[in-house]
Amino acid sequence: VFVNPTQFGPGEDFEHYPRDLTKDTALLTDYNVDYIFAPTVEEMYPKGFSTYVNVVGLSEQLEGASRPGHFRGVATVVTVLLNTVRPDFAFFGQKDAQQALVIKRLVKDLAFDTEVVLLPIVREDSGLAISSRNLYLNAEEQASAAVIHRALTQAKGAYKAGERSAGKLAEIVRSTIETEPRARLDYVAIADAETLDPLERIDERPTLIAIAAYIGKTRLIDNTILNKVKKKEAAPQ
């Protein structure tokens, strides 16, 4: 459990980011957890720390363009964590789709003996993706934030109805977000779900529709995958 300062940019919310180790610990009491690793900043970044990891290409797009240096901080702290803990498995959420791609590339390139497992987005009843930053939202903003998932759902519905133009799907997202007065779109991107290369038309490959939007002063992200590859079921014994 660690709020990583190197992935926050100037003026971002590092000082106010939600931290509650007691609550986090309580959430784990129903599971077979032996230890919680909750290092201090000084333990993770000792005096004189000067080595950083940068995953070139994947880190510069989408969130990387909006938050320069963010993924250098992510890649560096994950490298330190993987090297310290040496886990067999590391679990990441689909909500942070670009982060998961960056970590997968890092693990492959640096030959970590860890399997990265991607977990589906967990949502509120309204459809809002669960995030630590949701705590910043008041009740009215919580209701308004549901427009983000609604925009993704509208675009996915248009795709299922036959729309293949990335520009038109992006416009559906944009226009849906604009129906909510408290919402302001940062970006909508439609890209190859593995490379993040932008697409003009949707083909059969897995395709990411990613949104970053402000609800009031709070910046939230969400995404959905078109043409998701279905896992093969194990053959019967």
Side-chain angles (χ1 to χ4, degrees):
V1 181
F2 181 67
V3 180
N4 176 37
T6 65
Q7 67 192 64
F8 289 79
E12 291 190 342
D13 58 341
F14 173 69
E15 295 298 331
H16 303 287
Y17 195 83
R19 298 166 172 82
D20 192 341
L21 186 58
T22 301
K23 181 180 178 182
D24 293 338
T25 302
L27 289 171
L28 296 171
T29 55
D30 291 336
Y31 299 89
N32 188 25
V33 174
D34 296 310
Y35 299 98
I36 296 172
F37 182 48
T40 64
V41 172
E42 291 72 26
E43 286 174 306
M44 292 297 291
Y45 299 105
K47 185 177 180 180
F49 188 98
S50 58
T51 302
Y52 293 88
V53 179
N54 191 32
V55 179
V56 177
L58 287 172
S59 294
E60 281 85 56
Q61 306 173 68
L62 308 184
E63 287 297 284
S66 290
R67 304 175 67 190
H70 170 68
F71 286 115
R72 186 182 83 150
V74 170
T76 300
V77 76
V78 170
T79 297
V80 175
L81 287 168
L82 293 181
N83 193 45
T84 303
V85 179
R86 308 291 175 95
D88 296 314
F89 301 95
F91 298 88
F92 291 85
Q94 174 63 36
K95 183 182 76 69
D96 299 285
Q98 184 176 7
Q99 174 177 273
L101 289 175
V102 168
I103 299 308
K104 283 184 176 181
R105 172 51 59 184
L106 180 155
V107 166
K108 182 177 181 181
D109 289 352
L110 299 185
F112 280 106
D113 189 19
T114 297
E115 181 180 341
V116 175
V117 180
L118 195 59
L119 299 176
I121 298 172
V122 181
R123 298 187 180 278
E124 307 279 3
D125 291 341
S126 67
L128 174 64
I130 290 179
S131 166
S132 298
R133 287 192 169 94
N134 293 354
L135 293 175
Y136 297 152
L137 304 172
N138 61 35
E140 291 79 11
E141 289 170 337
Q142 281 266 357
S144 298
V147 74
I148 298 174
H149 183 241
R150 190 159 67 246
L152 290 169
T153 301
Q154 295 274 12
K156 196 165 190 175
Y159 170 76
K160 288 181 177 178
E163 183 59 71
R164 294 296 181 267
S165 166
K168 290 182 179 179
L169 293 179
E171 182 53 40
I172 289 170
V173 169
R174 190 173 292 107
S175 60
T176 304
I177 295 291
E178 288 174 353
T179 65
E180 172 49 60
R182 292 187 181 89
R184 176 170 61 86
L185 188 66
D186 184 357
Y187 68 75
V188 53
I190 299 180
D192 184 296
E194 295 298 325
T195 66
L196 298 183
D197 292 336
L199 300 176
E200 292 185 3
R201 291 196 63 79
I202 314 301
D203 51 27
E204 298 305 311
R205 81 186 89 173
T207 299
L208 175 74
I209 305 180
I211 295 177
Y214 288 89
I215 305 297
K217 295 181 179 179
T218 303
R219 186 176 183 276
L220 301 174
I221 61 173
D222 202 347
N223 66 82
T224 191
I225 303 286
L226 307 179
N227 300 324
K228 187 180 293 184
V229 176
K230 294 182 180 180
K231 291 183 179 180
K232 296 181 179 179
E233 295 184 4
Q237 298 295 317

